[in-house]
């Protein structure tokens, strides 16, 4: 990691490997070398061992909105119990899941900008957990640091077989960790732009399998200004959490964990080091669902909650026409003005707020949402069936928001360089930031509250990079202007193979220990995470 101040002074820091992609060759996994030749897919696909249903038969579920247990004192209070359930995801197949409050996706929390929310999470799962609100501007103590564990009742650290693998206990030995038993209150001020956030498990070394088993849910922030725009709403606003999964012969979710109890040994088996892909595409927890719509505009709040799968979404009518995907928002809320796409790439953890107009589609016909990067069954995502002609008084204003931060390069007091690459970790394969695997005890970046910084990030294979606490804007991609879908304020940026990307942000909000990491969840578990200390 190279740090340079605004006066052009350059100094190499401990993490420094900087430089060009050439350095990758020395340490690269054979898997990642192979991936570099097939950049559209990062990871290996698991095959389901049960019969899969035909597409577009199962109705699209809409996750239920959680009712607060109290709204007294200006705070909305919620309670969520994390527990195992068995659910029917594929018709006729029983699948054990780890859930928030019994469902996958978990219940949606709807909140108002600036009105604090406290969620009491109760862990009735067989392993420690920790909840992170992705995209939340959250004080560090509620941000879900990966070692701030909530232990299950009766969990005895000492009763765990220590084994040869000291690495697995690192999380337990982080001296700064704040560990509780059974419950923990997370408080979110939500003093931030309205947008779609998501909450998910973030336990050190085990985030990927925990999300895979079902620990993910949506959290919407709304405000009066956005509601006054006249965008499609009510039944015509649909959250779409897209995630791929695979199913074992006994109906359980297949996942190539080295230790399926997720207690002693993190990691996945060799072919899946670059990421775990499933052969079933779920939207809101249903396989290739279908949703009946009016011939009108719809607002789709899309989240890619997949561990490693990238999508390039397109909406195609039965007669082969591609409908416009009018993007109105990014990870961190509304754009300044709409941006029209025919194809929209979405990396793990990214969100897009998109308007699709079904008014020109013949009643009775379908619009399929497809993934151009998929093949065979993974090309299909879901479908909309247009049921009736209606009048539509929704609109897409030409000006959506006026409060987007407009940081300029000249505002930046520092430029930092990071590489995101395959390498060696604890004697095995890992994914590294600046040549190092994650260590909770090491501060990788110290940033001053209020400072504007430019970060330059270079990747070997696809890495969707996420910063906690702050939103950022994209300045450039490999020296060129940002792409159309880079518009607005983001918290996750998809670095493409070999690409170098510049982002700009202001470290705003709270002091404390935060993170930045790759949101390919397997990469994240295998080292690709770093500490960001705001002072
Ligand atoms: Cu969505 Cu640190 O994560
Ligand atoms: Cu996050
Ligand atoms: Cu990555």
């Amino acid at each position: 990691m190279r740090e340079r101040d605004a006066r052009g002074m350059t100094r190499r820091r401990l993490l420094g490997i900087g430089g060009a992609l050439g350095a990758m060759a020395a340490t690269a996994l054979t898997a990642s070398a192979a991936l570099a030749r097939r950049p559209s897919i990062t990871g290996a696909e698991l095959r389901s061992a049960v019969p899969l249903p035909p597409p577009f038969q199962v109705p699209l579920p809409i996750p239920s909105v959680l009712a607060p247990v109290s709204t007294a004192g200006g705070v909305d209070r919620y309670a969520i119990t994390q527990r195992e359930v068995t659910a029917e995801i594929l018709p006729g197949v029983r699948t054990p899941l780890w859930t928030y409050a019994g469902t996958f996706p978990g219940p949606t929390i709807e909140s108002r900008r600036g009105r604090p929310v406290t969620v009491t999470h109760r862990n009735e799962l067989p392993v420690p957990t920790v909840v992170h609100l992705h995209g939340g501007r959250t004080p560090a103590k509620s941000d879900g640091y990966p070692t701030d564990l909530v232990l299950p009742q009766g969990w005895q650290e000492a009763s765990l077989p220590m084994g040869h693998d000291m690495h697995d206990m690192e999380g337990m030995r982080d001296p700064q960790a704040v560990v509780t038993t059974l419950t923990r209150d997370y408080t979110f001020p939500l003093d931030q732009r309205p947008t779609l956030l998501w909450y998910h498990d973030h336990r050190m070394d085990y985030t990927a399998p925990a999300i895979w088993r079902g620990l993910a849910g949506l959290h919407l922030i709304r405000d009066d200004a956005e509601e006054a725009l006249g965008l499609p709403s009510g039944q015509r606003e649909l959250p779409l959490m897209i995630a791929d999964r695979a199913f074992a012969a006994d109906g359980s979710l297949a996942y190539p964990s080295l230790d399926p109890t997720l207690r002693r040994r993190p990691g996945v088996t060799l072919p899946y080091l670059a990421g775990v892909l499933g052969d079933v595409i779920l939207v809101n927890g249903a396989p290739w669902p279908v949703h009946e719509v009016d011939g009108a505009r719809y607002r789709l709040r899309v989240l890619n909650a997949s561990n490693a799968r990238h999508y390039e979404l397109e909406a195609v009518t039965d007669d082969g026409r591609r409908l416009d995907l009018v993007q109105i928002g990014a990870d961190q809320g509304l754009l300044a003005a709409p941006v029209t796409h025919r194809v929209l790439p979405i990396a793990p953890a990214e969100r897009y707020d998109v308007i699709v107009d079904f008014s020109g589609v013949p009643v009775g016909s379908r619009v399929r949402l497809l993934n151009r990067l998929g093949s065979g069954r993974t090309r299909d995502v879901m479908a909309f069936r247009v049921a009736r002609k209606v009048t539509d008084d929704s609109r897409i204003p030409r000006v959506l928001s006026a409060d987007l931060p407009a940081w300029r390069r000249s505002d930046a007091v520092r430029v930092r360089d990071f590489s995101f690459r395959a390498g060696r970790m604890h004697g095995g394969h890992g994914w590294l930031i600046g040549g190092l695997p994650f260590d909770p005890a090491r501060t990788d970046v110290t940033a001053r509250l209020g400072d504007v910084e430019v970060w330059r990030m270079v990747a070997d294979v696809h890495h969707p990079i996420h910063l906690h606490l702050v939103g950022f804007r994209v300045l450039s991609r490999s020296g060129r202007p940002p792409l159309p879908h880079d518009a607005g304020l983001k918290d996750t940026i998809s670095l493409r193979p070999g690409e170098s990307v510049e982002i700009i942000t202001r470290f705003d909000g709270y002091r404390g220990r935060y993170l930045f990491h790759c949101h390919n969840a397997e990469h994240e578990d295998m080292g690709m995470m770093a500490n960001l200390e705001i002072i």
Side-chain angles (χ1 to χ4, degrees), residues 132-137 192-193 195-198 200 303 330-333 347-351 457 464-474 486-494 503 505 515-519:
H132 169 60
L133 179 61
H134 181 121
R137 222 163 97 106
Q192 60 185 103
R193 307 178 82 234
T195 191
L196 173 66
L197 311 177
W198 61 304
H200 60 74
L303 159 68
D331 303 332
Q332 288 286 319
E350 285 189 305
R351 286 92 68 211
M457 309 188 285
I465 305 305
H466 168 52
L467 272 63
H468 283 215
L469 183 67
V470 291
F472 53 79
R473 307 207 61 178
V474 182
D486 292 326
L489 196 62
K490 296 190 50 72
D491 59 46
T492 307
I493 167 86
S494 179
I503 61 168
T505 189
L515 293 167
F516 62 103
H517 59 89
C518 181
H519 222 295

